[in-house]
């Protein structure tokens, strides 16, 4: 049989903080039920260990491990009692067992048959359910219920004679029993029994560890006591209530004197025996010295930073009362220990329980609750609760020691030491995703910041649901923060698939060597599948002016379903055409949508060579496909071909364009750069007629690219009588930006005096484009720009060169000054600096520290990044004669970048333009064109339009003044 509960004495102390639930990884839990279990000697006991927090109907015991430990009050280390691992049972105590069926249902209870006193103590259940673990504790107390007898049950005695009642209490444990006597009088007289009539012997220990004790009551009644009942009352922790045994007294009249004499002799002998026993009892109870049993630092010495915790100490069963307790702290790498608490029992009142004990504090990190308690067997007990406020900077690796001074100790003082280990569990910030719109064709980056942990050794892992991801995560260097705790960042690059929708991605972190993980998660709610847009199909394949034409396109494999389709003619939306777009259709095999869109119209001559475009707008992203409508019997123009394809400064370059299928043969071809016609180097071949009667020709442009061609547009314009407006083709030369080479600073004249004008100059060469910024400084003060002179020219190698000059009039304070020239080239994002120290002839050279002008110091900085706007953009208005209330389209060419690598913003005044922005990569990979279409308002006769282009490293912007007709 087992009881659950306990008194306010020793068991009440052990209840504090030793049992219950320890939750790890915020999932797995172990519940031990009552933290104090009481079992009778030689009974069988099952110690519960309920597991919760797993997400399956039953546990897979192949993934479960359980270890049971026991720490007895007299042992320094805990020992294993039972081990279960992957289905294998290993008992370390005879008869110990666990049930597989119970374990599958989440109960790792330990069964122990024939329990013994030596098996009482603190039991720990440590459970592993991969990859988590948890543990809980419970205190087991072994007891034995007393066997009580009272003799004689009926007693007959002559008046004024003596007789003794014996109340024997045998086979009990623990050695704490209370025996009282009570007289029940038929005459309702006083029920108390005189203390001098009671004799209690010393308890005697049996071989099995139980105890016996006898209490005797001396009777010397009168005839008035006839019929009284004498009751022996026994209290023990195993009794739910006091045990009552009665003896009935019969009193008779006295007999002869001889009988009285015999009774007197017998009484004298009994009195001697009682006196002797009383002496032994008094010695054992009040004078025999007993050393304290020491239980020190019960609890977890591995503590968490800034989380309150408690340790427990108990000194029990000692006599005499005087005892001294002291606690000491020796911090890590300190030689001396400091006293943090001192207590002496002579200065403390005896408390019957711990509730009235004061909470005392002697240190900011420690509080002590300690009191003296008197036990029924004449010994004393001192429970102590140590509340600790752990701080990793102050207490980690510190030694906490307990010293006890008592006269019964063989070695005084007795000492117990424990080392404190303070850890700080990692804190994980919410996981951040690199995009708000994850797509399967684009990698995403998940980033999690892990901070506030100690020590710095940490294990990190990423999971997709319950499975560790195969991708290798990035982990930054672990860094110590200003609070003395460590932090780092982990990121994971993922290529998502349709099967990842709805999955949770988890970052887990733990201190190396521990089993407890902390985690942060991110759930992929919706995966965006960008529509696949097919090439546009034209029916008929060779369209004619005045005959109906149908353009069709398939939009496939997209999700979610919301998708907008529109058709464009050049930069204007097609409104006067029959557009038919199918409703979205779901492919049940892939859960993706598809649809078909087509437009039917009758082309006119001005539609020749115009690009018709389908725009598919899905989740704020626009996908486009274009089709140049080439009408029958109208000229067709190929794209401009470069030879060689890799353009170099100062090297000859040929640009060729073919014009085909025109009639009659009278055709005009012009080359232009930006808006200026190029006549030099251009040529047109004589048209040739083919078997169909149509003509073809080609036009070439020969030029030598220079720095002034950087980022500029070169185009060809074709005019023919069948065309209502010219056909143009453009190309941007892929010329690289080159940073300037900067010479040392030269001064004129070489010999200078006060109040003379000096001219400084540097030569810069071999740079492109020609946009350059120059600043001159005296020390750190910039010189006036009015005195600067920049004259840029083109060299034979096609690159720019220039001589930069500035002049000023010297004064006496300029002697020894440092002068600097800073050359900034925005296109290459570089800055080069030259410097020297000026020496005037009017001053002595004995200063020693100032060199002469011919020995000036020069310092060249390596090209370094600068935060300057790089003017490589140019905005053009495509709409002729722009008017208020009508669509106006501007476009801007961005050299050397792609739409995927850039972020584009358009602004009207200071307000951003949200809609109508389109970005298209150039076919020759020279860059991309960004355009914006909007309707200006009546009051905006002249408004400023600004385009900003940026990536992770740099940004550009250009402005355009739009003037309405």
């Amino acid at each position: 049989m087992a009881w659950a509960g306990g008194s306010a004495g020793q068991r009440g102390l052990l209840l504090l903080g030793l049992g219950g639930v320890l939750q790890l990884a915020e999932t797995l839990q172990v519940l031990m039920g009552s933290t104090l279990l009481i079992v009778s000697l030689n009974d069988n006991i099952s110690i519960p260990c309920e597991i919760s927090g797993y997400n399956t109907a039953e546990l897979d015991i192949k993934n479960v491990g359980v270890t049971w430990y026991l720490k007895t009050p007299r042992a320094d280390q805990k020992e294993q009692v039972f081990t279960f691992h992957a289905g294998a049972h290993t008992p370390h105590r005879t008869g110990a067992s666990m049930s597989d069926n119970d374990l599958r249902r989440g109960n790792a209870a330990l069964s122990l048959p024939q329990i013994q006193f030596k098996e009482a103590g603190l039991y720990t259940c440590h459970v592993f359910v991969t990859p988590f673990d948890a543990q809980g504790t419970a205190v087991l107390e072994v007891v034995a219920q007393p066997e009580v007898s009272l003799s004689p049950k009926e007693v007959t005695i002559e008046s004024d004679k003596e007789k003794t009642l014996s109340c024997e209490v045998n086979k009990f444990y623990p050695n704490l029993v209370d025996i009282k006597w009570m007289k029940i009088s038929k005459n309702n007289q006083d029920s108390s029994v005189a203390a001098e009539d009671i004799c209690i012997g010393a308890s005697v220990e049996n071989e099995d560890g139980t105890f016996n004790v006898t209490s005797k009551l001396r009777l010397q009644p009168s005839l008035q006591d006839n019929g009284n009942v004498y009751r022996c009352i026994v209290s023990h922790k195993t009794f739910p209530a006091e045990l009552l045994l009665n003896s009935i007294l019969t009193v008779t009249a006295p007999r002869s004197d001889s009988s009285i004499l015999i009774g007197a002799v017998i009484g004298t002998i009994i009195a001697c025996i009682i006196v002797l026993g009383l002496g032994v009892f008094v010695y054992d109870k009040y004078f025999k010295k007993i050393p304290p049993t020491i239980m020190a630092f019960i609890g977890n010495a591995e503590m968490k930073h800034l989380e309150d915790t408690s340790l427990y100490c108990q000194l029990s069963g000692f006599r005499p009362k005087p005892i001294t307790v002291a606690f000491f702290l020796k911090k890590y790498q300190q030689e001396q220990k400091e006293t943090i608490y001192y207590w002496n029992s002579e200065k403390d009142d005896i408390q019957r329980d711990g509730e009235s004990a004061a909470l005392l504090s002697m240190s900011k990190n420690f509080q002590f609750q300690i009191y003296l308690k008197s036990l029924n067997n004449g010994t004393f007990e001192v429970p102590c609760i140590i509340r600790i406020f752990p701080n990793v900077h102050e207490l980690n690796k510190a030694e906490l020691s307990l010293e006890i001074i008592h006269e019964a100790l063989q070695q005084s003082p007795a000492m117990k030491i424990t080392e404190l280990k303070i850890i700080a569990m990692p804190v994980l910030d919410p996981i951040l995703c690199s995009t708000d719109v994850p797509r399967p064709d684009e990698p995403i980056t998940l980033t999690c910041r892990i901070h506030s942990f100690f020590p710095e050794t940490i294990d990190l892992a990423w999971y997709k649901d319950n499975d560790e991801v195969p991708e290798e995560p990035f982990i930054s260097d672990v860094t110590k923060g200003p609070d003395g705790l460590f932090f780092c960042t982990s990121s994971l690059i993922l290529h998502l698939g349709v099967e990842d929708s709805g999955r949770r991605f988890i970052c887990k972190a733990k201190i190396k060597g521990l089993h407890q993980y902390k985690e942060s998660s991110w759930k992929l709610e919706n995966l965006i599948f960008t529509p696949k847009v097919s090439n546009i199909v034209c029916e008929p394949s060779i369209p004619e002016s005045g005959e109906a034409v149908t353009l069709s396109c398939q939009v496939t494999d997209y999700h979610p379903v919301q998708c907008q389709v529109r058709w464009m003619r050049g930069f204007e939306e097609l409104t006067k055409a029959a557009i038919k777009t199918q409703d979205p259709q779901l492919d049940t095999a892939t859960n993706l949508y598809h649809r078909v869109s087509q437009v039917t119209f009758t082309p006119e001559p001005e539609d020749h060579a115009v690009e018709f475009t389908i725009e598919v707008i899905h989740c704020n992203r626009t996908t486009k496909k274009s089709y140049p409508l080439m009408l029958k019997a109208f000229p067709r123009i190929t794209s401009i071909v470069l030879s060689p394809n890799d353009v170099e400064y100062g090297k000859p370059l040929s640009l060729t364009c073919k014009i085909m299928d025109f009639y009659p043969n009278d055709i005009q071809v012009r080359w232009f750069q930006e808006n200026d016609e190029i006549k030099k180097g251009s040529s047109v071949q004589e048209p040739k007629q083919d078997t169909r009667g149509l003509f073809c020709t080609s036009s070439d442009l020969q030029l030598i690219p220079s720095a002034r061609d950087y980022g500029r547009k070169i185009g060809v314009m074709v005019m023919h009588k069948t065309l209502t407006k010219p056909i143009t083709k453009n190309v941007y030369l892929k010329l690289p930006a080159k940073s300037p080479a900067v010479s040392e600073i030269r001064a004129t004249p070489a010999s200078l005096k006060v109040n003379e004008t000096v001219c400084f100059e540097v030569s810069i060469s071999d740079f492109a484009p020609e946009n350059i910024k120059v600043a001159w400084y005296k020390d750190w003060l910039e010189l006036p720009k009015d005195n600067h002179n920049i004259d840029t020219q083109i060299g034979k190698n096609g690159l720019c060169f220039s001589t930069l000059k500035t002049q000023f009039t010297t004064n006496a304070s300029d002697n020894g000054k440092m002068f600097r020239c800073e050359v900034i080239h925005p296109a290459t994002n570089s800055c080069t600096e030259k410097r020297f120290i000026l020496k005037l002839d009017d001053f002595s050279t004995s200063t020693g520290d100032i060199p002469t002008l011919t020995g000036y110091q020069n310092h060249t900085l390596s090209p370094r990044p600068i935060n300057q706007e790089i003017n490589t953009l140019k905005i053009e208005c495509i709409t002729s004669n722009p008017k208020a209330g009508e669509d106006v389209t501007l476009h801007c060419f961005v050299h050397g970048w792609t739409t995927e690598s850039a972020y584009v913003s358009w602004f009207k005044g200071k307000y951003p333009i949200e809609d109508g922005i389109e970005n298209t990569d150039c076919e020759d990979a020279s860059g991309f064109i960004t355009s914006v279409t909007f309707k200006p308002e009546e009051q905006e006769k002249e408004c400023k339009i600004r385009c900003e282009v940026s990536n992770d490293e740099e940004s550009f912007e250009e402005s355009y003044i739009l003037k309405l007709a």
Side-chain angles (χ1 to χ4, degrees):
M1 177 180 180
W3 294 272
S7 69
Q10 178 177 2
R11 293 185 305 281
L13 174 66
L14 293 177
L15 275 168
L16 293 174
L18 292 182
V21 178
L22 177 63
Q23 181 174 348
L24 277 75
E26 302 178 358
T27 53
L28 194 64
Q29 294 182 343
V30 167
L31 180 63
M32 302 292 290
S34 173
T35 59
L36 178 61
L37 302 174
I38 302 177
V39 61
S40 294
L41 179 68
N42 294 320
D43 275 0
N44 301 334
I45 180 68
S46 177
I47 306 175
C49 181
E50 296 287 345
I51 308 168
S52 64
Y54 52 91
N55 55 9
T56 55
E58 288 190 349
L59 283 174
D60 183 359
I61 61 175
K62 293 182 180 179
N63 297 326
V64 178
V66 182
T67 304
W68 280 91
Y69 298 94
L70 167 62
K71 185 180 185 302
T72 62
R74 298 181 180 275
D76 292 331
Q77 302 292 331
K78 61 184 179 181
E79 61 183 19
Q80 290 188 2
V81 180
F82 191 90
T83 303
F84 175 87
H85 179 69
H89 297 253
T90 306
H92 303 285
R93 185 267 199 200
T94 303
S97 65
M98 284 177 54
S99 168
D100 286 355
N101 290 333
D102 289 346
L103 185 57
R104 289 188 183 95
R105 292 190 292 269
N107 187 6
L110 175 67
S111 297
L112 299 174
Q114 296 292 308
I115 201 74
Q116 300 299 307
F117 292 129
K118 65 181 180 179
E119 294 177 294
L122 182 69
Y123 281 81
T124 300
C125 175
H126 198 165
V127 179
F128 298 86
V129 180
T130 307
F132 307 109
D133 75 330
Q135 66 180 19
T137 57
V139 176
L140 179 67
E141 185 172 354
V142 183
V143 299
Q145 194 175 64
E147 300 172 359
V148 184
S149 63
L150 176 62
S151 62
K153 295 183 179 180
E154 295 182 359
V155 58
T156 302
I157 186 173
E158 293 182 7
S159 173
D160 297 326
K161 297 294 181 72
E162 288 189 1
K163 216 161 194 181
T164 301
L165 294 179
S166 295
C167 188
E168 295 183 358
V169 184
N170 299 324
K171 296 288 187 178
F172 64 88
Y173 188 90
N175 187 18
L176 295 173
V177 68
D178 185 31
I179 305 174
K180 295 182 292 186
W181 291 92
M182 176 183 290
K183 179 176 70 172
I184 303 174
S185 174
K186 65 182 180 179
N187 297 323
N188 295 322
Q189 296 175 350
D190 185 12
S191 63
S192 63
V193 178
E196 58 267 20
D197 292 335
I198 300 173
C199 178
I200 301 178
S203 58
V204 178
E205 186 175 6
N206 300 313
E207 291 183 358
D208 61 357
T210 60
F211 293 88
N212 300 337
V213 69
T214 300
S215 179
K216 295 181 180 293
L217 175 64
R218 181 174 64 87
L219 301 178
Q220 193 175 4
S222 65
L223 289 173
Q224 293 178 346
D225 295 322
N226 185 47
N228 286 354
V229 175
Y230 288 88
R231 176 173 291 171
C232 177
I233 304 172
V234 181
S235 298
H236 189 261
K237 72 180 302 177
T238 59
F239 289 150
E242 294 177 333
L243 183 65
L244 310 177
L245 296 179
N246 296 333
S247 179
I248 300 175
L249 175 63
T250 302
V251 182
T252 61
R255 293 179 291 176
S256 63
D257 293 342
S258 59
S259 299
I260 295 173
L261 179 61
I262 295 172
V265 172
I266 295 173
T268 302
I269 294 173
I270 292 173
C272 292
I273 294 173
I274 291 174
V275 170
L276 180 61
L278 183 61
V280 173
F281 167 75
V282 170
Y283 173 76
D284 283 344
K285 186 165 185 177
Y286 297 103
F287 298 102
K288 183 179 179 180
K289 297 179 180 180
I290 303 175
T293 299
I294 303 172
M295 296 173 62
F297 306 124
I298 298 175
N300 192 358
E302 189 175 85
M303 305 169 187
K304 295 179 182 178
H305 179 61
L306 301 181
E307 293 186 17
D308 293 0
T309 189
S310 297
L311 296 179
Y312 309 92
C313 299
Q314 183 167 288
L315 315 176
S316 59
F318 62 89
R319 192 169 52 225
K321 169 185 171 182
I323 191 169
T324 299
V325 176
F327 289 90
F328 300 90
L329 183 69
K330 188 172 101 171
K331 294 184 178 179
Y332 181 61
Q333 293 183 338
Q334 277 189 354
E335 295 295 331
Q336 300 296 326
K337 62 183 181 181
E338 57 176 320
T339 304
I340 58 174
Y341 189 73
Y342 181 87
W343 179 85
N344 186 280
S345 62
E346 294 301 294
K347 299 179 181 179
D348 186 43
D349 294 330
I350 295 178
Q351 304 289 337
R352 287 297 172 184
D353 56 56
E355 296 179 359
S356 60
L359 191 65
L360 305 175
S361 177
M362 295 290 288
S363 168
K364 69 176 182 178
N365 297 114
F366 297 89
Q367 285 185 340
F368 298 84
Q369 185 178 4
I370 188 169
Y371 58 92
L372 179 68
K373 179 177 178 175
S374 176
L375 304 179
N376 292 333
N377 63 358
T379 62
F380 299 90
E381 181 178 85
V382 175
C384 179
I385 303 172
I386 310 168
R387 287 189 62 195
I388 303 176
F389 309 96
N391 187 309
V392 71
H393 310 302
E394 298 178 7
L395 296 185
N396 188 44
K397 296 185 180 180
E399 286 187 353
L400 179 63
S401 56
L402 165 66
E403 290 188 3
I404 305 103
I405 300 175
H406 188 266
E407 58 183 280
L409 289 169
Q410 293 182 354
Q411 292 184 348
S412 187
M415 180 174 290
K416 297 289 184 179
I417 300 176
T418 188
E419 181 179 281
L420 304 179
K421 181 179 179 182
I422 315 298
I423 62 173
M425 298 302 293
V427 177
L428 281 71
D429 287 344
I431 294 176
L432 300 178
C433 181
S434 58
T435 178
D436 293 331
V437 187
R439 303 175 187 272
D441 54 343
E442 299 174 0
I444 68 167
T445 301
L446 301 182
T447 303
C448 183
R449 183 174 181 267
I450 304 98
H451 59 92
S452 303
F453 59 88
F454 185 93
E456 62 183 311
T457 52
I458 193 170
D459 288 333
L460 285 170
W462 285 83
Y463 287 80
K464 180 172 23 177
D465 289 339
N466 296 322
D467 301 322
E468 190 166 358
V469 298
E471 293 86 355
E472 186 70 24
F474 165 79
I475 303 174
S476 69
D477 294 336
V478 176
T479 306
K480 180 180 286 189
D483 58 354
L485 304 178
F486 294 93
F487 67 90
C488 66
T489 300
S490 179
S491 58
L492 181 69
I493 299 176
L494 294 172
H495 295 268
L496 301 173
V498 64
E499 69 279 359
D500 294 319
S501 185
R503 306 288 290 273
R504 290 176 67 247
F505 293 85
I506 308 166
C507 178
K508 297 183 179 182
K510 70 178 182 69
I511 300 296
K512 191 177 290 292
L514 298 184
H515 298 289
Q516 180 180 359
Y517 275 97
K518 295 290 186 179
E519 65 180 47
S520 180
S521 64
W522 174 83
K523 185 176 181 180
L524 178 61
E525 298 290 352
N526 285 307
L527 190 59
I528 307 301
F529 287 81
T530 303
K532 297 179 181 178
V533 182
S534 69
N535 291 327
I536 295 174
V537 177
C538 180
E539 182 63 35
S541 58
I542 302 177
E544 296 185 32
S545 177
E547 300 291 336
V549 170
T550 298
L551 304 179
S552 59
C553 182
Q554 294 184 3
V555 182
T556 60
D557 298 341
Y558 66 91
H559 183 87
V561 65
Q562 294 81 12
C563 177
Q564 180 184 354
V565 177
R566 66 178 182 179
W567 288 87
M568 307 290 293
R569 179 189 182 278
F571 293 97
E572 298 177 352
E573 187 171 1
L574 266 175
T575 56
K576 298 178 181 180
I579 300 175
K580 182 180 178 182
T581 301
Q582 183 186 30
D583 291 335
Q585 305 295 310
L586 178 64
D587 185 341
T588 56
T590 62
N591 281 328
L592 300 179
Y593 292 91
H594 60 88
R595 67 197 310 187
V596 176
S597 181
Q598 63 184 30
V599 58
T600 302
F601 61 97
T602 301
E604 298 177 357
E606 55 265 25
D607 292 323
H608 178 66
V610 173
E611 285 196 343
F612 286 80
T613 304
I614 184 173
E615 294 185 350
V616 180
I617 305 167
H618 182 260
C619 294
N620 297 323
R621 174 174 287 190
T622 301
T623 305
K624 297 188 292 185
K625 284 288 184 177
S626 296
Y627 180 84
L629 188 68
M630 308 303 293
L631 297 177
K632 184 177 181 180
F634 284 77
R636 289 192 301 113
I637 304 176
T638 65
S639 297
I640 298 174
V641 177
L642 305 180
S643 180
N645 188 51
D646 295 328
V647 184
E648 297 183 43
Y649 292 107
K651 300 293 181 67
L653 175 66
S654 175
L655 295 86
T656 302
C657 177
K658 293 183 179 181
I659 305 99
M660 301 170 291
D661 300 345
F662 59 93
Y663 185 88
N665 66 347
D666 185 17
I667 197 164
Q668 296 180 16
V669 180
R670 295 178 182 176
W671 291 86
F672 60 90
Q673 186 174 43
E674 300 299 339
N675 294 322
D676 301 325
E677 184 178 355
I678 305 174
K679 295 183 178 181
K680 183 179 179 180
S682 63
S683 63
V684 180
Q685 292 184 359
E686 186 69 24
K688 296 180 180 180
Q689 191 172 23
D690 60 17
T691 57
R692 299 172 299 167
L694 301 177
F695 291 90
C696 64
T697 186
S698 65
S699 179
D700 297 321
L701 175 65
Q702 307 295 327
L703 59 82
I704 297 178
S706 71
R708 293 196 173 103
D709 296 318
Y710 175 86
R712 302 189 71 184
K713 175 179 66 176
I714 296 179
V716 63
M717 178 186 298
V718 177
M719 291 167 286
H720 189 260
K721 65 182 301 182
T722 59
L723 301 175
T724 58
K725 64 178 181 179
I727 301 175
T728 59
K729 290 286 184 178
N730 300 315
V731 69
Y732 289 88
L733 303 184
K734 292 185 287 185
L735 292 167
K738 292 182 176 292
S739 58
V742 184
S743 71
E744 306 298 342
I745 298 176
R746 301 181 296 274
T748 305
S751 178
L752 293 174
K753 295 181 181 181
V754 176
N755 296 325
E756 286 189 352
T757 299
V758 61
C759 178
F760 297 108
E761 64 179 42
V762 294
S763 298
I764 58 174
S765 59
D766 298 339
F767 63 94
E770 60 183 338
N771 182 27
I772 204 83
K773 297 181 180 181
V774 179
W776 290 88
Y777 296 88
K778 179 168 63 174
D779 285 340
W780 301 105
L781 179 65
E782 186 173 1
L783 297 176
K785 294 185 179 295
D786 295 342
N787 297 328
H788 299 180
N789 183 16
I790 304 177
D791 181 19
T792 303
Q793 302 179 52
I794 300 297
K796 293 182 179 180
N797 59 358
L799 298 174
C800 295
F801 68 91
S802 180
T803 300
L804 309 177
K805 298 180 181 180
T806 188
Q807 62 183 20
F808 72 100
T809 302
T810 63
N811 56 46
S813 63
D814 292 331
N815 188 53
K817 292 286 187 181
M818 180 177 66
F819 287 79
R820 298 183 298 115
C821 178
E822 190 176 77
V823 180
I824 299 172
H825 190 238
T828 55
N829 206 20
S830 66
C831 174
T832 305
E833 181 184 273
K834 296 294 181 176
R835 62 175 70 171
F836 71 98
I837 295 177
L838 179 64
K839 169 64 177 68
L840 299 178
D841 289 346
D842 304 79
F843 294 83
S844 171
T845 59
S846 62
T847 56
D849 293 334
I850 302 176
T852 64
L853 186 61
T854 55
Y856 54 75
Q857 299 178 8
N858 290 309
H859 179 70
T860 302
L861 297 176
S862 299
R864 57 180 175 86
I866 58 174
N867 187 19
Q868 298 285 341
E869 297 178 358
I870 303 176
N871 188 14
T872 59
L873 311 177
K874 185 169 183 179
I875 299 175
E876 294 179 327
C877 182
I878 302 302
T879 304
S880 59
N881 198 23
K883 298 178 181 179
E886 298 181 1
D887 283 343
V888 174
T889 300
L890 306 180
H891 79 184
C892 180
F893 173 70
V894 183
H895 175 77
W897 286 14
T898 64
T899 56
E900 295 295 329
S901 65
Y903 180 79
V904 179
S905 300
W906 285 85
F907 296 85
K908 183 166 65 173
K910 63 180 180 179
Y911 300 103
I913 302 175
E914 302 291 347
D915 301 319
I917 299 175
E918 301 171 359
N919 303 315
T920 306
D921 288 316
C922 297
E923 294 181 359
D924 58 1
S926 59
F928 74 92
I929 295 175
T930 176
S931 64
V932 61
T933 301
F934 63 97
K935 288 183 172 65
E937 298 178 1
E938 187 66 35
Q939 62 271 24
E940 296 172 335
K941 292 296 183 180
E942 186 173 304
C943 61
K944 181 180 179 180
I945 307 298
R946 180 164 52 92
C947 177
E948 288 186 0
V949 182
S950 63
N951 60 15
D952 292 337
E953 299 178 353
E954 54 188 336
S955 64
F956 310 87
E957 73 171 47
E958 178 66 10
S959 298
Y960 179 85
I961 303 300
L962 177 64
K963 297 180 180 181
L964 301 180

